[in-house]
Each structure stands twice: as structure tokens, then as C-alpha cells.
């Protein structure tokens, strides 16, 4: 009963380095999302995937790329990390529900860019 | 962007006190949700309200959706230390769940 699994949980990068954050869900949901959470800013959408094979930009996509590898997996890539990307990143799998959507979140990845 | 503003941003109260936190927007939402997030964890859904004026109770927590479906409130009766956490409201957009900035609640034993 894993739900949404994110790796890694913590990461420190130097400016300019690249990395990929991994996310997998076992709930057979079509929709998956990547958010970042910063103090006083709430959760802001980076990218989302409404279904396998599709991805779309959210509110703050600059500096990121995503891949929806299959229905289970949705990865987030930072090609050239910047200090402004220091944040906590959450992957979510969304059960759409006609009027009652529910987001299931992973435990988060705390990323520091120095 | 459908902005959701939450107030207060921080709240520190004694165990046993009552409190209310608010979630306001200039946009109409088809539904509003409340999540609670504990340190080191992702948010977890508490409730979804759908109908204007709807009131839902979850033990000591009472959630209300405004008549115009633009705002919501969360009232906690007799707060306990276990209620400590970040409370987030979220409104459903076309392809997104928009989250508020959150209310960080601390209940002091």
C-alpha cells in the first residue's frame, strides 16, 4: 500500500549540476503532478501530466523538464540547477473524482542548491 | 491564476482553545478541499466541500463552504497538540488543484 513514492528524500546540488527526481504511484491514476513548496508561497504547480504520454506546464515551469515514462512514473529534471530552485518538491497523483478530486502526495524531496 | 488566500498565516494557541482559519478567493470553485501537512510529510486530504453553504464535520473539525463558493473556513473545537500542522485549502481548476499559502497551527500542551 505504498501510494506515491518519491526519491531521493534529500539532495544537495552545486549550481549548474543536473538531477532527476523520481516519482511512482501504484494507484492506477491517470493524472500526476509536480509541485514545489516554498515558505509563504504554498504549493505551486511546476508541470502536470493528465494522462500517459501527455505533459503540460503549470505555474512555474522554467528551469524544469518532465517525463511521463508510463502510467506509474513521472519524473522531474533540473538540467542546470540554480539557488532559486532550492525548495521542497512534491509529486502528487490525482484521483479526478467528478466533483471530489483527491490528491495523494509523496513524502517530498528537500533540495538545496548551493 | 486563481489565488487562494489563507488567514491567519501563523496561529499558536493553548490546548483546549477553539480556533477558526479562513480560505478566501475572488474566484468561484466547483469544490474546495482542506489538507493537513505534518513536518517532513506530504499533505493529506481532510475533507472536500462541494455545495455552497455546505457544512461538514470531522470529529472536532467543522468545515464550511461559503454560499458563493468563493471561500471556506475550518473551525477546530478544543484543539489538541495532535492538531499541530500546516493546514492548506485547495480549489479545483480546469487542470489543477490550486493551493492556498497555508495556516501553520501550533497547539501548546
Amino acid at each position: 500500500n505504498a501510494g506515491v513514492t518519491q526519491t531521493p528524500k534529500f539532495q544537495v546540488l552545486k549550481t549548474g549540476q543536473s538531477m532527476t527526481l523520481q516519482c511512482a504511484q501504484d494507484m492506477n491514476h491517470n493524472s500526476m503532478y509536480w509541485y514545489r513548496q516554498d515558505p509563504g508561497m504554498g504549493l505551486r504547480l511546476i508541470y502536470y501530466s493528465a494522462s500517459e504520454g501527455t505533459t503540460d506546464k503549470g505555474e512555474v515551469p522554467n528551469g524544469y523538464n518532465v517525463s511521463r515514462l508510463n502510467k506509474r512514473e513521472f519524473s522531474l529534471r533540473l538540467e542546470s540547477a540554480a539557488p532559486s530552485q532550492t525548495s521542497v518538491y512534491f509529486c502528487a497523483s490525482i484521483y479526478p473524482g467528478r466533483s471530489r478530486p483527491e490528491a495523494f502526495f509523496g513524502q517530498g524531496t528537500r533540495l538545496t542548491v548551493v | 491564476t486563481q489565488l487562494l488566500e489563507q488567514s491567519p498565516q501563523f496561529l499558536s494557541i493553548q490546548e483546549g482553545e477553539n480556533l477558526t482559519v479562513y480560505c478566501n478567493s475572488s474566484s468561484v470553485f466547483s469544490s474546495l478541499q482542506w489538507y493537513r501537512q505534518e513536518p517532513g510529510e506530504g499533505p493529506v486530504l481532510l475533507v472536500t466541500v462541494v455545495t455552497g453553504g455546505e457544512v461538514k464535520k470531522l470529529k472536532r473539525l467543522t468545515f464550511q463552504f461559503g454560499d458563493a463558493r468563493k471561500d471556506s473556513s475550518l473551525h477546530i473545537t478544543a484543539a489538541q497538540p495532535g492538531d499541530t500542522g500546516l493546514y492548506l485549502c485547495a480549489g479545483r481548476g480546469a487542470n489543477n488543484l490550486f493551493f492556498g499559502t497555508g495556516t501553520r497551527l501550533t497547539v501548546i500542551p
Side-chain angles (χ1 to χ4, degrees):
Chain A
N1 196 21
V4 179
T5 303
Q6 282 183 242
T7 56
K9 194 160 185 176
F10 300 94
Q11 184 72 50
V12 178
L13 290 178
K14 293 183 179 179
T15 297
Q17 287 185 318
S18 62
M19 78 161 295
T20 300
L21 282 65
Q22 307 286 352
C23 176
Q25 53 97 3
D26 62 3
M27 294 171 286
N28 203 37
H29 293 161
N30 286 322
S31 299
M32 297 183 73
Y33 290 65
W34 276 105
Y35 289 93
R36 60 178 287 174
Q37 186 174 37
D38 302 293
M41 301 291 287
L43 285 159
R44 293 183 292 169
L45 182 66
I46 305 171
Y47 270 93
Y48 67 97
S49 172
S51 62
E52 185 179 353
T54 68
T55 61
D56 286 286
K57 295 178 180 179
E59 184 183 353
V60 288
N62 291 344
Y64 305 96
N65 284 301
V66 290
S67 294
R68 184 72 182 269
L69 303 171
N70 47 56
K71 193 169 186 178
R72 289 188 65 250
E73 299 172 288
F74 188 37
S75 62
L76 178 71
R77 183 162 178 83
L78 286 71
E79 291 291 351
S80 179
S84 61
Q85 294 178 303
T86 292
S87 187
V88 183
Y89 292 84
F90 286 99
C91 175
S93 172
I94 309 287
Y95 169 70
R98 184 161 294 180
S99 60
R100 297 178 186 274
E102 180 172 357
F104 295 84
F105 286 86
Q107 288 192 306
T109 297
R110 187 173 296 274
L111 175 67
T112 302
V113 183
V114 298
Chain B
T1 301
Q2 295 167 290
L3 184 64
L4 282 164
E5 296 185 352
Q6 290 187 243
S7 60
Q9 189 175 357
F10 299 96
L11 187 57
S12 182
I13 62 170
Q14 295 289 330
E15 182 177 359
E17 292 183 346
N18 302 331
L19 67 115
T20 302
V21 298
Y22 300 92
C23 172
N24 295 291
S25 175
S26 57
S27 301
V28 174
F29 287 97
S30 58
S31 64
L32 265 176
Q33 302 183 313
W34 286 92
Y35 290 77
R36 181 168 66 206
Q37 184 179 16
E38 299 186 13
E41 302 290 331
V44 175
L45 180 67
L46 294 174
V47 77
T48 301
V49 285
V50 176
T51 306
E54 182 177 358
V55 177
K56 276 198 168 181
K57 291 193 174 184
L58 187 65
K59 296 183 180 178
R60 294 175 294 99
L61 278 61
T62 301
F63 304 86
Q64 185 162 7
F65 200 12
D67 291 340
R69 305 207 316 274
K70 292 183 178 181
D71 56 87
S72 181
S73 63
L74 159 60
H75 181 80
I76 301 179
T77 303
Q80 298 178 1
D83 296 326
T84 292
L86 179 66
Y87 289 82
L88 295 159
C89 65
R92 184 180 189 181
N95 291 300
N96 187 13
L97 279 177
F98 293 94
F99 283 85
T101 51
T103 293
R104 189 167 297 281
L105 172 65
T106 302
V107 182
I108 303 165

